[in-house]
Amino acid sequence: MTRLLINIDHVATLRNARRETFPDPIAAARECLAGGAHGIVFHLREDRRHITDEDVRRLKSELDAKLDFELSTAEEIVSICIATQPELATLVPERREEVTTEGGLDVIANRNRLESVIPRLFDAGIAEVALFVDPDLDQIDACAASGANGIELHTGDYANASNWEERQYVLGRMAAAAERAHQNGLRVHAGHGLDLNNYPDFGAAVPHLYEVSIGFAVIARALFKGIRTSVSEMKQIVESTTYVN
Ligand code: PXP
């Protein structure tokens, strides 16, 4: 069964909008876990627009849960990730002017930097290192060559597809990319823009999904339903969706 990780960046975004101390992302993470999440995802951005260094320290020291630390390859952030020792480190591209992560990593173009960062993450005791990539077979092969042991498929193109044909086309690419990653021995994660409505078709079409990382839709729905209910509803959809060959 596919596992559900919840991204809590948006709780920090709300807190920071008023330069307040609440809502507390760590308290929100506890609610996510109480709702059945298998782990917590956060992105320590170079500009610290949501999650802060102190949040990271508290997530590590106060929670007994799988942590997925999303990071760019900027040296400062890599050092914090190494010191934090999350179970999973997911390398993502980062541009200061973007509203949210746009597009996957270009693993081929960034090969040298990735090949220097990835072994350091493993050497620090981090068990899983995944690369956030678009469903491109050459990129998937480059992930395997980079030394990472997982990928996170960028599902934004699926979530944003404007019509049925486009959606089916993107799903085909996602399924092929997941299959290729699996053949290369890479663990398959996925995320970006997934929600209660679009998940069933996605989960039924894409094989080998070990974990999905969902943030915005679950946290937004929590305003009306509460975090526990929002998480448990999403989990129910994720767990009841099975890949159909
Ligand atoms: N995975 C990665 C690498 C991301 O950058 C994001 C966005 O923060 C997500 C998953 C979750 O996307 P969303 O918030 O749209 O569910």
Side-chain angles (χ1 to χ4, degrees), residues 20-43:
E20 266 298 353
T21 56
F22 63 90
D24 177 17
I26 290 76
R30 276 194 209 96
E31 287 297 295
C32 293
L33 296 168
H38 293 100
I40 300 299
V41 189
F42 57 91
H43 183 176

Side-chain angles (χ1 to χ4, degrees), residues 7 9-10 41 43 45 50 68 70 90-93 100-102 132 152-153 155 190-195 213-218:
N7 181 311
D9 294 349
H10 298 291
V41 189
H43 183 176
R45 293 187 74 104
H50 37 56
D68 174 6
E70 292 180 1
T90 303
L91 288 157
V92 302
T100 180
T101 312
E102 292 167 356
F132 186 56
E152 181 178 333
L153 273 179
T155 54
H192 205 94
L194 295 174
D195 62 26
S213 165
I214 305 183
F216 188 72
V218 168

Side-chain angles (χ1 to χ4, degrees), residues 24-85:
D24 177 17
I26 290 76
R30 276 194 209 96
E31 287 297 295
C32 293
L33 296 168
H38 293 100
I40 300 299
V41 189
F42 57 91
H43 183 176
L44 183 68
R45 293 187 74 104
E46 292 162 45
D47 63 9
R48 310 299 201 276
R49 71 172 69 154
H50 37 56
I51 293 295
T52 64
D53 300 44
E54 176 63 5
D55 292 330
V56 174
R57 193 196 61 71
R58 288 185 55 216
L59 283 162
K60 178 67 183 177
S61 67
E62 295 181 26
L63 294 186
D64 182 19
K66 175 169 185 171
L67 296 181
D68 174 6
F69 190 137
E70 292 180 1
L71 73 157
S72 71
T73 55
E75 190 51 40
E76 184 206 8
I77 308 292
V78 171
S79 301
I80 296 170
C81 184
I82 284 172
T84 306
Q85 292 190 314

Side-chain angles (χ1 to χ4, degrees), residues 106-156:
D106 187 340
V107 180
I108 298 165
N110 292 290
R111 183 180 163 172
N112 289 347
R113 178 67 185 149
L114 289 167
E115 285 184 359
S116 88
V117 168
I118 292 167
R120 290 168 59 206
L121 297 170
F122 283 126
D123 286 349
I126 298 169
E128 298 177 77
V129 178
L131 306 181
F132 186 56
V133 284
D134 292 316
D136 175 295
L137 298 184
D138 291 336
Q139 291 289 342
I140 303 293
D141 290 344
C143 289
S146 76
N149 59 2
I151 59 153
E152 181 178 333
L153 273 179
H154 182 346
T155 54

